[in-house]
Structures are given as structure tokens and as C-alpha cells.
Amino acid sequence: QVQLVESGGGLVQAGGSLRLSCAASGRTFSTNPMGWFRQAPGKEREFVAAASWSGSSTYYADSVKGRFTISRDNAKNTVYLQMNSLKPEDTAVYYCAARSFSYAHKSTMSHDYDYWGQGTQVTVSS
């Protein structure tokens, strides 16, 4: 059974930092693009960041560019999201996701991702 398990969420003051982790099990994703999405209350799920299978190519939503960094450790089958300079508008449930096709392009579209974690809550207080 394939599982993606996020961790690292929590409550932080504006301007603070958090590091989210997403550990995969059940199969390796070392040749698959992975991404992070988020969903705030009453809003649709939105793209945050994506990394190519090697991690050498990344892409960010404009709202987080320069503040968030996606990285991955394929030996650990884990992807990370370092979040700095957090703002109240970053408050959301954060989900990691993986594409099932090896060497596919990284995507900003949620429907391109086949595996999803259960989400971790990030709350930024002002």
C-alpha cells in the first residue's frame, strides 16, 4: 500500500519558519515528480511548489516564491518544504503529492498527481 505521510505542521507566529516533511512508503518515488499543495478553509486546493524527479528543477507559486523551498532526498523517499517568513495567509492544510509516471514533468495541476498525503495543518498567527 502506497502512503505519503506529512509531518512538521503546527502553529507559528508571522515571520517564523516551519519545515514540512513528506515520507513515502510502499513504492519508491525517486524517478517521479513530487509537489506540495495547500487548502485554506473555504478555498480551493492550490499549488505551492513542485520538484522534478531529481530535485534539480523546481517551480513555485508566485505567492511563496522566495520564501519557500522544496527539496527531496530520494535515498529516504522523502520530500521537504522549508517555509520561511510565514504570513497569516499561508495558513492552510498542506498536502504532498506524487505523480505515478516516472520522469514526467513537474506539474502545477492537482489532477496530474496520483498519490496524496493526508495533510498537515499550518497555522500562522499575526
Side-chain angles (χ1 to χ4, degrees):
Q1 180 182 1
V2 177
Q3 281 191 311
L4 301 179
V5 179
E6 301 98 336
S7 61
L11 174 64
V12 64
Q13 288 188 330
S17 298
L18 283 174
R19 188 194 195 205
L20 305 183
S21 298
C22 172
S25 61
R27 62 163 284 181
T28 179
F29 289 101
S30 61
T31 59
N32 304 80
M34 297 187 74
W36 287 93
F37 291 77
R38 67 186 182 186
Q39 187 167 19
K43 295 188 177 181
E44 293 186 354
R45 188 172 298 187
E46 65 174 1
F47 168 77
V48 175
S52 63
W53 66 272
S54 66
S56 62
S57 177
T58 56
Y59 189 75
Y60 300 91
D62 287 343
S63 59
V64 306
K65 201 172 296 182
R67 301 187 298 122
F68 290 11
T69 302
I70 186 172
S71 62
R72 59 190 300 166
D73 184 338
N74 285 341
K76 296 182 178 179
N77 219 18
T78 299
V79 64
Y80 306 96
L81 185 69
Q82 177 66 44
M83 305 185 296
N84 298 328
S85 302
L86 282 161
K87 305 175 180 180
E89 51 264 42
D90 294 318
T91 296
V93 176
Y94 284 70
Y95 300 89
C96 72
R99 299 196 66 179
S100 61
F101 293 104
S102 292
Y103 308 113
H105 70 88
K106 56 188 185 298
S107 173
T108 64
M109 307 301 291
S110 60
H111 61 72
D112 284 333
Y113 292 82
D114 306 285
Y115 300 98
W116 291 84
Q118 82 290 348
T120 186
Q121 177 70 46
V122 171
T123 303
V124 184
S125 64
S126 57

